[in-house]
């Protein structure tokens, strides 16, 4: 029974120490290019899409509004 407890604790420690789906910039760029290809974007539209995608600014609604004063 003690072996199982030690094995479970070791497994929990290993899981906690691994990075959680951290995407490298190379992976992110590949994803953004795939998105541009799937939308059949060309030229300036493609460049704008990839730039926004890489910067996480692909929300068409724009930036969040400021909170209302109290």
């Amino acid at each position: 029974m003690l072996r199982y407890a030690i094995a479970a604790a070791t497994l929990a420690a290993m899981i906690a120490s691994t990075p959680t789906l951290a995407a490298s910039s190379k992976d992110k760029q590949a994803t953004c290019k795939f998105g541009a290809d799937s939308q059949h974007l060309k030229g300036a539209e493609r460049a704008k899409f990839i730039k926004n995608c890489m910067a996480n600014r692909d929300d068409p609604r724009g930036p969040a509004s400021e909170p209302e004063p109290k």
Side-chain angles (χ1 to χ4, degrees):
M1 188 63 129
L2 183 59
R3 272 190 256 171
Y4 293 122
I6 292 172
T10 303
L11 181 62
M14 288 188 327
I15 290 172
S17 67
T18 58
T20 55
L21 302 175
S24 68
S25 61
K26 186 176 180 180
D27 294 336
K28 176 104 174 149
Q29 186 172 17
T31 302
C32 293
K33 285 183 179 182
F34 181 81
D37 290 341
S38 69
Q39 295 180 27
H40 306 291
L41 298 176
K42 302 283 184 199
E45 288 180 351
R46 179 183 175 88
K48 181 180 176 185
F49 176 85
I50 292 175
K51 181 180 176 186
N52 287 339
C53 180
M54 292 294 291
N56 288 331
R57 290 187 313 235
D58 57 345
D59 187 2
R61 297 173 293 177
S65 62
E66 295 181 15
E68 295 180 17
K70 293 182 179 180

